[in-house]
């Protein structure tokens, strides 16, 4: 997968088996399925209760309404294989040039380059939008996500030990950050 260009006004970007493109409301069932799978089976999301389609619709409307990207990666069959987005890091004016992102990939296609393509596109979108920093909060034991972020120039900038609880165990939160040169 080569570098992805801006999706704003541009064509979808190719990825393994499909395309990365801006999400539409038609993608919400696929996004919901990936989200709830992560809730039930991983420490990527620190919620324990699955959500419904109305929840994801509100999230989508809030993100896109504020001008933030919501991206999907399609598989070869045109189904949502992964999604990614970013939004405000914190709700205060001083943080206006920093965003926090999230990326989720369907379990059966992890390790195929979809997360890499989504992250590359998000990084380019953040820079295109004039953001100064992009931050990711990662469960400290998620070594594949940590390595992926390091490949895109993210640095480990903070560790919050035992701030989460899921599956009966405490989780550490690792913050990784990439800063842009503007």
């Amino acid at each position: 997968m080569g570098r992805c260009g801006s999706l704003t006004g541009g064509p979808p970007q190719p990825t393994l088996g499909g395309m990365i493109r801006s999400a539409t409301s038609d993608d919400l069932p696929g996004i919901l399925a990936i989200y709830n799978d992560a809730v039930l089976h991983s420490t990527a999301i620190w919620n324990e209760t699955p959500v419904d389609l109305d929840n994801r619709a509100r999230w989508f409307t809030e993100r896109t309404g504020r001008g933030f990207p919501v991206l999907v990666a399609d598989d070869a069959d045109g189904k949502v294989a992964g999604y990614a987005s970013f939004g405000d890091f914190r709700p205060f004016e001083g943080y206006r040039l920093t965003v926090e992102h999230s990326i989720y990939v369907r379990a059966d296609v992890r390790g195929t380059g979809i997360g890499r393509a989504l992250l590359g596109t998000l990084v380019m979108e953040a820079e295109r939008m004039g953001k100064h920093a992009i931050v990711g909060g990662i469960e400290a034991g998620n070594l594949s996500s940590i390595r992926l972020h390091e490949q895109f120039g993210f640095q480990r900038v903070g560790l919050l030990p035992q701030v989460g609880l899921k599956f009966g165990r405490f989780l550490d939160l690792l913050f990784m950050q990439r800063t842009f040169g503007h």
Side-chain angles (χ1 to χ4, degrees), residues 15-19 21 27 72-82 106 108-109 114:
T15 185
L16 297 178
M19 304 298 280
R21 58 181 173 74
D27 297 312
V72 293
D74 291 330
D75 65 15
D77 297 325
K79 295 179 182 169
V80 177
R106 207 173 63 211
D108 65 317
V109 293
I114 290 171

Side-chain angles (χ1 to χ4, degrees), residues 20-65:
I20 292 183
R21 58 181 173 74
S22 293
T24 70
S25 59
D26 291 340
D27 297 312
L28 290 176
I31 290 171
L32 175 68
I34 293 168
Y35 181 91
N36 280 338
D37 182 70
V39 166
L40 294 172
H41 304 288
S42 80
T43 56
I45 297 174
W46 292 8
N47 292 332
E48 297 175 336
T49 306
V51 299
D52 61 16
L53 195 56
D54 287 341
N55 173 281
R56 292 296 83 192
R58 286 189 303 275
W59 167 84
F60 178 77
T61 299
E62 189 274 329
R63 285 286 166 105
T64 58

Side-chain angles (χ1 to χ4, degrees), residues 151-169:
Q151 292 171 6
F152 281 91
F154 283 77
Q155 296 180 338
R156 300 172 194 218
V157 294
L159 179 69
L160 302 175
Q162 299 185 11
V163 296
L165 177 66
K166 189 167 181 183
F167 303 133
R169 64 185 173 96

